[in-house]
Amino acid sequence: MEQKELKINIQFEEDAKQKKQRIREAEKRVSAQKKEPSWQEVWFTGYPTSTGKHKKGIFQTKLTPRDKERLQEVLDATDTGEIPIGVESLKKYTKTHALNMYKKLQLIRRDETINKLMANMPENYLLINTEEAFEKLVADLWKEKEIAVDTETTGLHYFETYQHEGSVIVGISISLPIADYHVYIPFGHTSKGKQLPMQYVLDGLKPVLEDEQILKIMFNAKFDIHMFIRHGIRVGGFHFDGFVGMKLLNEQEEAYSLKGLSTKYGRFFGFEDKSQSYEELFGKGGYEGAEFERDGKPWIGTYYPCKDTHLTYRFYKDFVSKHFDRLPRIKRLYYEIEKPILEVCVDMEQNGFLLDTTFAKEYANDLELEIAVVKKELEGYFGDININSNVQLGKVLYEDMNLPDVSGKRKVDAKTLKKLAKHHKGVKVLLKYRDLNKLLTTYITPLPLKVSKEDHRLHGTFNQVDTATGRFASKEPNLQNLPYNARKIIIAPEGKVIIGIDYSQIEPRVLAHISGDEDLRDAYRSGKDLYVEMSMKVFKLERKYCVDGAYSPDGSFQPRKRIKSIFLGIMYGMGSFTLSESIQDSVEVAEQLIQDFYDSYPAVKKFVEDTHALAEEQQFVETMFGRKRRFPNHKPVAVRYKKVEAKIKKMLGYVPTNIWDSPLPYKTKKAFWDVAKEYHDVNRRSVNTRIQGTAADIMKMAMVAVSKVCKQHGYKILATVHDEILFEVPEDITEEAVKELEDAMIGVVQLDVPIKCDTDFMYRWGEIVSKKDWFAGERPNK
């Protein structure tokens, strides 16, 4: 009895202690809710919140250099009383609020800023709004060897679509280095002030702008070239784009705006400009409302265009060109590849695609019906939830269905769902729904709305320097990600056919060339199937087991398919973990396969190891044609990695494939994991850059070569997708004419292995007939 009472008393005491603890915690929360943070805490040290978490001070958060500069201005202006705090409670004073206060601060300072800018406007910034001044300008332009040119417009759309009105030029700025003055010629402004008629200006400038001998210096040239085309002028003598040039000099800049680059580098060529941009002063939007004249004198709307071309020229002449002279391979890369490819990009964007809008409507209806059926099926698996809500979906998958959390973060992205699909049939149906829904909502429904009203074609955008390896990127549509079924809405016009000429295995051929591996080279020189030869060598199997579609003697895998995954994985710098996912086998098996491959192809292994060493020593690697990819601070990371690796080898005698399954202390595991990710990521990217980057350079050279053939015959280049170029050509094109295009692609570079192209014909993109069958009389459906 006494023991029972003792237990009850102990329990009561424990309950009382817990109750007191809960009361103390509640009091702390109430106190935290009532406590107002100090100004110091808001900005610098942070403070505890009512939930018990620590809220970082604004300057403790991740900030870009530009935001840090702006926030400091806000802090200083608030401290001096120039602007108010702007919130009732300092708990609501966040980084977002502070940046909004920066905008208000700029408005307060705007008039003062404008007056200061106007008081210090260079005397050679001129407004051209009389015929006399314009005629003198044109006469002076003919004396120049190179000029900087820029347009001011109503917006960013150089085609009028069913979604957007087409933009128009409202003024042109030009810098004349020999005459040493900079002009703005307004003709489409809605603000007050005398302007010359648009057509008068365009007609007067057209001969100069189209002249091939007067070199044109621009920044983000593609946009301005398109805008001039929209107004009947095709710029001739294009010479330099500062945006592209800077991308080659440093592919890791935080931003590539002219203003941002000049703020960062202007001091090196005597053009320090800390003034606000026009957008910072007046907000985003078209330039047509800018006030270019006041009291008969040039005003702010003249200052900024003159400054832009002035800066564009100085940036080219005194900064980028000097670095190009210091880096001759980069200079050659620009002038021999990137400069000519920019004009090919303009042609592709101008050409556009013809869309089968009737097919798109019918296909959209079919997709909607199919999606409705799949959604009904999903209800049977997941119940009545919003299938597009990641929160609701995560709850069903991981709580209601108790599926394994393979990501460790309850993710529901496509990669995770593919892993979960083997655990539940409903996940497979969910993946199907997502594919169908993306096809409908991202491509089939929106693309017809982006068709030009002027020529009824879809004009996408191509970016030649968007990726670090130099490969093309595209948007509206993103052709690299365009699903096969979405491709079918792109068709050839009547009397035309689309042909796709594709480099055959260009990246493996590049690797065979730069690695010097004689077995790889022999396969290509003798015309053998590379993957069959590799399978036989690595897996030590007879040919009959290694041909396409054949299985190993025990029927467990397809040797040709597997060796292709291994080889491509090595070219893309893939590790054993990623390869194991690709071949759906264990990490240990993947590790052994990579080792077997390297044993069979030691020259490839040496190339990979040499590339890693190059990246570590130089902190950059290059393609065959001098394109650099930089890895700043990689050297100390490599030192740290090797130090931890040596420690692990000393402790275990080896480095485990999976560090987390090892008997090492957690601290050692974590140290290795953190540095290994960074170290191996650079290794992967360095190998990928040398192979894929070289292939990308070759593709660009090929596009330049075939564009010359196209101009001679009136063909259109439509696009580049991976290693393929799409053309729109007459339906009656001859086999000799096709060979001329193929030869142009094959002849741009000499490798130690032959280059090969495959050509397909199609009336509807994706529905192909081989060149052999086409010229034998077979035709795909229209």
Side-chain angles (χ1 to χ4, degrees):
M1 186 71 180
E2 286 180 7
Q3 190 175 5
K4 186 177 180 182
E5 286 178 358
L6 181 61
K7 284 182 179 179
I8 292 171
N9 288 336
I10 289 171
Q11 184 63 50
F12 280 152
E13 286 175 10
E14 286 296 319
D15 289 347
K17 283 179 182 177
Q18 289 176 8
K19 186 176 180 182
K20 285 179 181 178
Q21 181 64 27
R22 287 196 298 272
I23 290 170
R24 279 196 295 270
E25 288 173 358
E27 286 173 345
K28 276 184 183 179
R29 286 196 297 272
V30 171
S31 176
Q33 286 171 351
K34 290 180 179 178
K35 183 181 180 296
E36 187 78 357
S38 69
W39 192 235
Q40 178 78 7
E41 288 174 327
V42 165
W43 283 97
F44 299 103
T45 62
Y47 56 91
T49 66
S50 58
T51 61
K53 293 181 179 179
H54 184 81
K55 183 176 178 63
K56 289 182 178 179
I58 292 172
F59 281 129
Q60 291 179 316
T61 61
K62 191 174 181 181
L63 300 172
T64 65
R66 186 71 174 137
D67 277 349
K68 191 172 182 180
E69 190 179 308
R70 290 172 174 177
L71 289 165
Q72 186 64 53
E73 276 193 57
V74 170
L75 177 61
D76 294 342
T78 311
D79 285 343
T80 59
E82 189 178 356
I83 54 172
I85 289 174
V87 287
E88 293 176 3
S89 167
L90 284 180
K91 290 177 185 176
K92 295 181 180 180
Y93 202 101
T94 62
K95 179 172 73 176
T96 303
H97 173 72
L99 288 172
N100 285 333
M101 292 305 294
Y102 175 80
K103 293 176 185 176
K104 292 180 181 179
L105 176 63
Q106 301 320 302
L107 287 175
I108 292 169
R109 293 175 173 175
R110 186 166 73 182
D111 287 344
E112 179 187 338
T113 300
I114 292 171
N115 289 331
K116 188 176 179 181
L117 288 175
M118 294 305 93
N120 294 290
M121 184 191 286
E123 292 182 1
N124 62 352
Y125 282 17
L126 308 178
L127 170 64
I128 305 297
N129 62 350
T130 67
E131 290 186 10
E132 182 183 0
F134 183 74
E135 287 172 11
K136 181 182 183 305
L137 167 66
V138 172
D140 286 344
L141 283 169
W142 285 111
K143 300 170 188 174
E144 299 287 337
K145 294 179 181 177
E146 53 191 21
I147 58 174
V149 183
D150 190 29
T151 63
E152 300 298 341
T153 66
T154 56
L156 302 175
H157 304 286
Y158 37 81
F159 288 98
E160 185 170 349
T161 70
Y162 293 94
Q163 279 187 326
H164 303 288
E165 287 186 10
S167 304
V168 295
I169 300 174
V170 298
I172 299 170
S173 55
I174 306 174
S175 285
L176 295 78
I178 294 175
D180 191 26
Y181 66 88
H182 317 270
V183 304
Y184 182 58
I185 316 157
F187 47 73
H189 284 250
T190 55
S191 56
K192 292 179 181 178
K194 183 179 179 182
Q195 302 178 76
L196 293 168
M198 175 191 282
Q199 206 54 52
Y200 170 79
V201 172
L202 294 176
D203 289 346
L205 292 178
K206 183 176 172 122
V208 174
L209 293 173
E210 292 187 341
D211 187 85
E212 293 288 345
Q213 302 308 310
I214 301 175
L215 303 182
K216 314 304 186 301
I217 316 303
M218 309 169 97
F219 194 93
N220 197 13
K222 198 149 60 78
F223 174 79
D224 294 302
I225 292 171
H226 277 304
M227 288 307 299
F228 279 123
I229 291 173
R230 184 166 173 75
H231 291 74
I233 297 170
R234 179 65 192 241
V235 173
F238 163 68
H239 184 66
F240 192 79
D241 183 347
F243 170 77
V244 174
M246 197 61 210
K247 276 278 191 174
L248 298 186
L249 282 181
N250 184 9
E251 78 286 358
Q252 298 187 18
E253 290 288 341
E254 287 186 359
Y256 288 90
S257 67
L258 181 60
K259 166 69 178 172
L261 291 171
S262 65
T263 300
K264 184 174 181 179
Y265 297 111
R267 67 185 186 278
F268 295 113
F269 54 96
F271 205 107
E272 282 199 78
D273 178 24
K274 296 183 179 179
S275 65
Q276 295 160 262
S277 68
Y278 184 84
E279 281 189 355
E280 287 173 327
L281 286 175
F282 298 98
K284 291 184 178 180
Y287 202 72
E288 65 272 21
E291 187 180 1
F292 59 86
E293 180 184 47
R294 181 177 287 188
D295 300 327
K297 294 180 181 180
W299 198 245
I300 194 74
T302 293
Y303 169 79
Y304 275 102
C306 287
K307 188 187 77 167
D308 282 349
T309 50
H310 186 187
L311 180 54
T312 294
Y313 187 77
R314 292 287 303 278
F315 188 64
Y316 148 72
K317 198 73 173 178
D318 299 332
F319 187 74
V320 180
S321 290
K322 287 184 177 178
H323 283 290
F324 274 7
D325 290 340
R326 183 177 59 84
L327 302 164
R329 295 193 81 202
I330 295 287
K331 182 176 183 177
R332 190 163 58 249
L333 177 69
Y334 174 81
Y335 284 108
E336 294 182 7
I337 297 180
E338 295 299 346
K339 173 182 170 284
I341 205 66
L342 186 145
E343 297 199 77
V344 176
C345 278
V346 170
D347 289 337
M348 289 194 300
E349 293 174 1
Q350 284 289 324
N351 291 337
F353 303 93
L354 182 64
L355 289 197
D356 187 342
T357 52
T358 303
F359 171 79
K361 287 176 185 175
E362 293 170 356
Y363 192 28
N365 291 334
D366 292 343
L367 282 172
E368 285 171 356
L369 291 172
E370 192 174 356
I371 288 168
V373 171
V374 174
K375 284 183 81 172
K376 197 70 181 173
E377 189 178 352
L378 285 172
E379 281 184 28
Y381 291 114
F382 301 116
D384 185 19
I385 67 166
N386 178 1
I387 206 68
N388 297 314
S389 166
N390 290 345
V391 174
Q392 293 184 37
L393 189 58
K395 182 180 181 301
V396 170
L397 291 175
Y398 298 115
E399 294 179 20
D400 300 348
M401 293 181 170
N402 201 30
L403 295 181
D405 184 5
V406 293
S407 69
K409 297 179 181 178
R410 291 168 58 106
K411 288 184 178 180
V412 292
D413 59 296
K415 186 179 178 182
T416 304
L417 291 179
K418 283 175 185 175
K419 293 177 183 177
L420 292 177
K422 62 184 177 183
H423 297 284
H424 199 286
K425 187 180 176 183
V427 181
K428 291 181 182 177
V429 180
L430 176 61
L431 285 167
K432 181 182 178 182
Y433 163 77
R434 284 191 172 180
D435 287 343
L436 291 171
N437 194 52
K438 183 176 182 179
L439 180 60
L440 176 66
T441 58
T442 305
Y443 302 106
I444 304 303
T445 299
L447 286 183
L449 298 176
K450 297 173 182 177
V451 166
S452 166
K453 288 182 178 180
E454 297 159 30
D455 63 4
H456 309 293
R457 292 172 74 99
L458 174 67
H459 299 271
T461 301
F462 295 90
N463 191 328
Q464 68 197 77
V465 286
D466 191 55
T467 65
T469 59
R471 290 194 90 169
F472 265 95
S474 59
K475 63 180 182 180
E476 295 187 338
N478 180 340
L479 297 172
Q480 282 74 15
N481 292 342
L482 197 65
Y484 172 79
N485 285 335
R487 290 182 171 192
K488 294 190 290 186
I489 68 173
I490 293 173
I491 59 172
E494 194 64 36
K496 305 283 185 183
V497 65
I498 297 171
I499 65 172
I501 306 181
D502 183 49
Y503 274 129
S504 172
Q505 298 181 4
I506 187 64
E507 290 174 13
R509 291 173 197 269
V510 165
L511 177 58
H513 174 82
I514 57 181
S515 70
D517 191 287
E518 285 303 322
D519 286 332
L520 291 183
R521 291 178 175 187
D522 179 65
Y524 284 123
R525 286 169 180 165
S526 58
K528 296 173 184 174
D529 184 318
L530 176 69
Y531 299 121
V532 169
E533 299 303 310
M534 280 184 173
S535 302
M536 292 167 61
K537 188 170 184 180
V538 175
F539 301 128
K540 297 177 174 52
L541 294 171
E542 295 177 54
R543 185 176 297 276
K544 65 180 180 180
Y545 297 114
C546 299
V547 296
D548 195 12
Y551 279 82
S552 59
D554 63 2
S556 61
F557 68 97
Q558 292 178 285
R560 188 183 183 279
K561 184 178 180 181
R562 175 163 285 196
I563 201 68
K564 188 174 181 180
S565 294
I566 296 167
F567 186 49
L568 294 177
I570 285 168
M571 285 201 300
Y572 300 145
M574 192 184 292
S576 54
F577 180 78
T578 309
L579 178 61
S580 71
E581 291 184 333
S582 175
I583 63 174
Q584 296 186 326
D585 212 322
S586 69
V587 175
E588 288 73 25
V589 167
E591 186 85 16
Q592 187 59 52
L593 287 171
I594 291 173
Q595 188 56 52
D596 291 345
F597 182 90
Y598 281 147
D599 289 344
S600 302
Y601 292 92
V604 173
K605 181 182 182 182
K606 185 176 186 306
F607 162 76
V608 170
E609 290 174 343
D610 288 349
T611 300
H612 295 169
L614 269 177
E616 184 179 329
E617 183 59 34
Q618 301 178 155
Q619 301 194 124
F620 70 86
V621 294
E622 292 177 296
T623 68
M624 274 176 57
F625 303 96
R627 186 183 306 277
K628 281 189 176 184
R629 189 171 189 180
R630 299 154 183 88
F631 307 109
N633 302 316
H634 179 53
K635 202 168 188 175
V637 168
V639 169
R640 205 164 82 245
Y641 170 81
K642 288 174 182 177
K643 189 176 178 181
V644 180
E645 184 185 48
K647 182 181 177 183
I648 290 171
K649 281 182 180 176
K650 190 174 181 181
M651 294 171 76
L652 298 179
Y654 66 97
V655 178
T657 303
N658 187 337
I659 196 73
W660 296 110
D661 288 343
S662 71
L664 292 165
Y666 174 80
K667 196 172 179 181
T668 306
K669 292 179 184 179
K670 184 73 167 57
F672 182 76
W673 176 260
D674 288 344
V675 73
K677 281 194 299 181
E678 198 173 346
Y679 176 75
H680 288 305
D681 182 54
V682 169
N683 284 347
R684 176 187 61 77
R685 288 185 287 147
S686 64
V687 172
N688 185 35
T689 297
R690 292 189 70 191
I691 301 169
Q692 191 183 90
T694 296
D697 289 341
I698 292 171
M699 172 56 84
K700 286 180 175 176
M701 292 159 68
M703 292 172 69
V704 173
V706 295
S707 72
K708 294 173 183 174
V709 177
C710 289
K711 281 182 168 62
Q712 290 171 5
H713 298 291
Y715 307 155
K716 287 183 176 180
I717 299 183
L718 300 182
T720 173
V721 189
H722 301 304
D723 301 322
E724 182 179 23
I725 304 175
L726 296 177
F727 304 85
E728 188 177 283
V729 300
E731 199 173 9
D732 61 358
I733 189 170
T734 65
E735 194 165 358
E736 292 74 21
V738 173
K739 188 174 185 303
E740 188 180 1
L741 289 168
E742 291 173 336
D743 287 346
M745 289 180 66
I746 290 169
V748 293
V749 66
Q750 293 296 314
L751 301 181
D752 290 332
V753 295
I755 296 176
K756 182 175 177 289
C757 286
D758 298 317
T759 303
D760 293 315
F761 286 69
M762 51 211 127
Y763 290 120
R764 188 180 294 278
W765 190 18
E767 297 183 355
I768 65 173
V769 164
S770 70
K771 181 178 75 170
K772 180 182 176 183
D773 290 340
W774 174 270
F775 286 111
E778 187 176 330
R779 296 290 185 269
N781 294 325
K782 284 196 175 183

